[in-house]
Amino acid sequence: MPLSPLRSSSFSSLANIVALAVFLLLLTAPTSSAQLSNNFYSKTCPNVFNTVKAVVKSAVAKEPRIGASILRLFFHDCFVDGCDGSLLLDDTPSLLGEKTAAANNNSVRGFEVIDGIKSRVEKLCPGVVSCADILTIASRDSVVLLGGPFWKVKVGRRDSRTANFSAANSGVIPPPTSNLTNLIKTFEAQGLSAKDMVALSGAHTIGKARCASFRDHIYNGSNIERRFALARQRKCPRTSGTGDNNLAVLDLRTSKHFDNNYFKNLLKKKGLLNSDQVLFNGGSTDSLVRTYSQNNKVFDSDFVTAMIKMGDNKPLTGSRGEIRKNCRRVN
Ligand code: HEM
Ligand SMILES: *[C@@H]1O[C@H](CO)[C@@H](O)[C@H](O)[C@H]1NC(C)=O
Ligand SMILES: *[C@@H]1O[C@H](CO)[C@@H](O)[C@H](O)[C@H]1NC(C)=O
Ligand SMILES: *[C@@H]1O[C@H](CO)[C@@H](O)[C@H](O)[C@H]1NC(C)=O
Ligand SMILES: *[C@@H]1O[C@H](CO)[C@@H](O)[C@H](O)[C@H]1NC(C)=O
């Protein structure tokens, strides 16, 4: 049945209003990652991905743990005011950076590799690629080089002109003594679900922790396998302040390989940190841990989803922030 001119025009004006409303909503909605894309540098720095990968590859070949350290830098950057490279800034007389906040002090590492990447990328395309993006790409490459899954990295982040020590020190990065409630809460504060949190915790399939981070758990934990605790106690003295920096692998079997062994350890109550073992301790995340321990593909896929989501966290885009020349200093 043909529509009358009146009906047709009122229909289309209604459609126009709806379309306009949707358009305005999209413009104003807090889609913080709106301007991130896979091809942000395809015209301005087409070789950035190969360049980053080459530097990470030689660093990981020299020391596999450095891949773990870089991945952790990305997490600690993204959880404090978004993925904006703020963690990379050194302290100056006028800027108290994030490097000495409780979760980072004497613990975060890998900055020299980021510097090395930055100087190569600056030679290739001066003033184009942010430190925040370099850290994002280098984290993905670290996972891949250690045998984990590949994914396409979204880029287009810019670098902060500030850092925030008190924010970094305020508990937004959860401590290793955290209970499950606190882990879920701190991740939800960043727009990440409990499922994202469990998948991302699987990053502890690589790298190491200091005695100071797991002392309480191995001496006082009730949810730890006895012989495992005793073995870890041999290189981590009970007295706080002694041997604080002694290291132990987070995944006792394959700490240089990105796999789902971390979750298998949890089923045996061999998680190194309290925050690891609470993921499998009779609570709401037990079934997810069991799933990941049995199915590496599901773990990989959920880990990738969560990494992309974490990387979307409040980036500086457009004309906000800057492209630092040196990742340790504002321009
Ligand atoms: C769920 C909450 C988390 C807590 C409480 C936590 C805590 C810790 C602690 C205490 C260490 C050892 C630091 C030290 O002793 O110096 C560590 C290491 C590490 N964390 Fe986490 N973490 C969490 C989540 C994550 C996430 C989301 C990632 C990345 C996606 C990650 C990646 C790593 C890596 C790779 C290491 C080893 C670093 C190295 O060897 O240098 N962690 N974590
Ligand atoms: C960081 O660690 C150093 C060396 O252990 C210590 O002297 C300093 O007080 C710590 N900084 C903060 C802010 O806790
Ligand atoms: C730094 O973080 C603190 C605590 O989260 C917040 O109150 C403060 O406004 C932040 N400062 C800046 C300059 O963003
Ligand atoms: C979990 O940890 C939070 C923060 O440290 C604390 O306030 C809360 O009481 C703890 N909850 C339980 C059930 O222990
Ligand atoms: C373990 O718990 C006891 C008793 O609550 C406490 O005195 C001690 O400091 C805790 N930590 C270690 C590492 O033993």
Side-chain angles (χ1 to χ4, degrees):
M1 186 188 81
L3 293 168
S4 75
L6 180 70
R7 285 190 57 194
S8 149
S9 87
S10 69
F11 174 77
S12 73
S13 68
L14 179 66
N16 279 341
I17 289 166
V18 169
L20 187 70
V22 167
F23 179 69
L24 288 176
L25 220 114
L26 284 176
L27 272 187
T28 53
T31 50
S32 50
S33 63
Q35 292 167 72
L36 300 184
S37 68
N38 301 134
N39 57 6
F40 188 84
Y41 296 118
S42 62
K43 294 224 169 64
T44 52
C45 197
N47 250 321
V48 62
F49 288 107
N50 287 331
T51 307
V52 175
K53 185 169 64 185
V55 180
V56 178
K57 191 173 179 181
S58 72
V60 169
K62 233 186 270 166
E63 190 212 5
R65 186 190 168 199
I66 206 74
S69 304
I70 291 169
L71 176 59
R72 184 162 181 249
L73 288 183
F74 176 64
F75 161 49
H76 286 203
D77 182 33
C78 291
F79 266 50
V80 181
D81 293 332
C83 313
D84 61 358
S86 57
L87 172 61
L88 305 174
L89 291 173
D90 281 344
D91 290 356
T92 72
S94 59
L95 183 145
L96 178 54
E98 297 167 12
K99 290 180 180 179
T100 56
N104 296 330
N105 201 18
N106 304 311
S107 178
V108 283
R109 57 200 297 281
F111 297 108
E112 293 77 12
V113 180
I114 304 303
D115 293 339
I117 299 169
K118 180 64 174 174
S119 68
R120 285 272 292 272
V121 170
E122 280 301 294
K123 274 185 203 125
L124 191 71
C125 342
V128 170
V129 182
S130 68
C131 298
D133 277 343
I134 284 174
L135 184 53
T136 311
I137 301 166
S139 301
R140 186 274 314 272
D141 291 342
S142 296
V143 170
V144 172
L145 286 160
L146 293 172
F150 174 89
W151 66 96
K152 281 191 172 172
V153 169
K154 285 199 265 174
V155 287
R157 297 169 193 79
R158 291 165 66 84
D159 298 321
S160 70
R161 290 199 186 90
T162 55
N164 193 332
F165 172 85
S166 49
N169 215 25
S170 66
V172 286
I173 302 170
T177 49
S178 294
N179 57 38
L180 182 58
T181 312
N182 193 50
L183 292 179
I184 293 174
K185 208 178 66 186
T186 48
F187 277 68
E188 278 181 348
Q190 307 284 342
L192 296 163
S193 66
K195 182 177 175 181
D196 295 327
M197 184 274 291
V198 175
L200 287 169
S201 294
H204 291 176
T205 174
I206 51 175
K208 296 180 180 179
R210 293 165 310 131
C211 167
S213 302
F214 56 83
R215 177 181 282 127
D216 277 349
H217 183 55
I218 62 171
Y219 284 102
N220 279 342
S222 54
N223 52 348
I224 184 168
E225 197 266 338
R226 198 180 125 74
R227 274 173 312 162
F228 172 67
L230 289 173
R232 286 295 170 263
Q233 285 170 14
R234 282 196 284 129
K235 285 178 183 164
C236 180
R238 179 189 288 269
T239 312
S240 167
T242 55
D244 282 4
N245 294 322
N246 295 358
L247 295 171
V249 291
L250 281 158
D251 172 352
L252 77 160
R253 288 204 295 161
T254 55
S255 79
K256 296 175 183 178
H257 197 78
F258 194 100
D259 55 27
N260 64 343
N261 262 326
Y262 167 81
F263 297 103
K264 296 182 184 173
N265 295 333
L266 298 185
L267 294 193
K268 298 178 200 143
K269 302 242 180 266
K270 293 178 179 177
L272 184 63
L273 309 176
N274 184 63
S275 55
D276 292 325
Q277 197 57 59
V278 294
L279 303 179
F280 188 83
N281 195 36
S284 58
T285 52
D286 278 22
S287 63
L288 199 51
V289 169
R290 207 174 269 115
T291 301
Y292 292 156
S293 76
Q294 289 161 354
N295 194 327
N296 200 30
K297 283 207 172 101
V298 177
F299 164 52
D300 278 357
S301 155
D302 287 357
F303 179 80
V304 164
T305 300
M307 281 293 285
I308 293 170
K309 222 163 137 184
M310 184 159 72
D312 283 349
N313 191 12
K314 298 191 286 289
L316 297 170
T317 55
S319 60
R320 297 162 70 216
E322 64 180 19
I323 304 298
R324 267 179 229 151
K325 289 189 176 69
N326 177 330
C327 294
R328 293 174 183 269
R329 294 190 272 280
V330 295
N331 291 342

